[in-house]
């Protein structure tokens, strides 16, 4: 009975190792995109940093990065940063920061941009859309102290 328990334990451990290696290999083959902003609440005209990061296996894809227009619905592009490329092992990371602002008060969503991953060998192109992130655009808080102030002293 002791041998059977050890064999089951070895089988379970081997299955877990194979499963974890299999998920790592399949995960490493799939490109992914992460989109973040530095703040969700801004004042009218205040800049917000919109950062897009794409991660994919090195040497497997040709990436067609998006090119945003100068103005978007409810947003203006202040600055388009360069696309930075880094490599970590067998993974390539592309990253771009775009500075946006808005002059329309309200709750607006950043647009989704399409990044296309074309396989260098056989396969179908993979189009991934960046996340649309909500940004609250408002005015500065009003002075509620109810004190009257002269225009000139």
């Amino acid at each position: 009975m002791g041998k059977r328990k050890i064999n089951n334990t070895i089988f379970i451990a081997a299955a877990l190792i194979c499963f974890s290696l299999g998920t790592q290999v399949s995960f490493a083959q799939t490109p992914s995109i992460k989109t973040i902003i530095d703040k969700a609440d801004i004042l009218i005209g205040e800049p917000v940093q919109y950062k897009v990061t794409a991660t994919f296996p090195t040497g497997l894809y040709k990436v067609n990065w998006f090119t945003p227009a100068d103005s978007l619905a409810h947003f203006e592009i202040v600055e388009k940063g360069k696309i930075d490329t880094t490599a970590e092992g067998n993974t390539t990371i592309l990253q771009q920061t775009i500075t946006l602002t808005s002059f329309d008060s309200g709750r607006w969503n950043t647009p989704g941009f399409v990044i296309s991953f074309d396989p260098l060998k056989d396969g179908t192109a993979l189009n991934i859309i960046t996340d649309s992130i909500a940004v609250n655009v408002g005015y500065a808080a009003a002075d509620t102290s109810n004190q009257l102030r002269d225009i000139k002293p």
Side-chain angles (χ1 to χ4, degrees), residues 5-75:
K5 187 174 184 181
I6 292 173
N7 286 340
N8 285 344
T9 305
I10 292 171
F11 175 75
I12 291 171
L16 286 173
I17 290 170
C18 289
F19 177 73
S20 66
L21 289 176
T23 56
Q24 287 177 354
V25 169
S26 66
F27 177 73
Q29 300 297 326
T30 306
S32 65
I33 293 179
K34 181 179 177 185
T35 310
I36 60 171
I37 59 172
D38 63 342
K39 48 191 159 189
D41 298 303
I42 63 170
L43 298 176
I44 287 182
E46 185 178 7
V48 61
Q49 303 295 318
Y50 178 84
K51 185 186 290 187
V52 179
T53 305
T55 306
F56 57 96
T58 302
L60 294 182
Y61 295 96
K62 176 185 177 231
V63 179
N64 297 313
W65 199 260
F66 64 94
T67 304
D70 290 335
S71 65
L72 311 165
H74 304 289
F75 291 99

Side-chain angles (χ1 to χ4, degrees), residues 107-129:
R107 181 178 174 92
W108 311 114
N109 290 324
T110 60
F113 299 107
V114 177
I115 300 176
S116 179
F117 296 89
D118 295 325
L120 295 176
K121 295 182 182 176
D122 297 333
T124 305
L126 179 63
N127 295 323
I128 302 177
I129 301 173

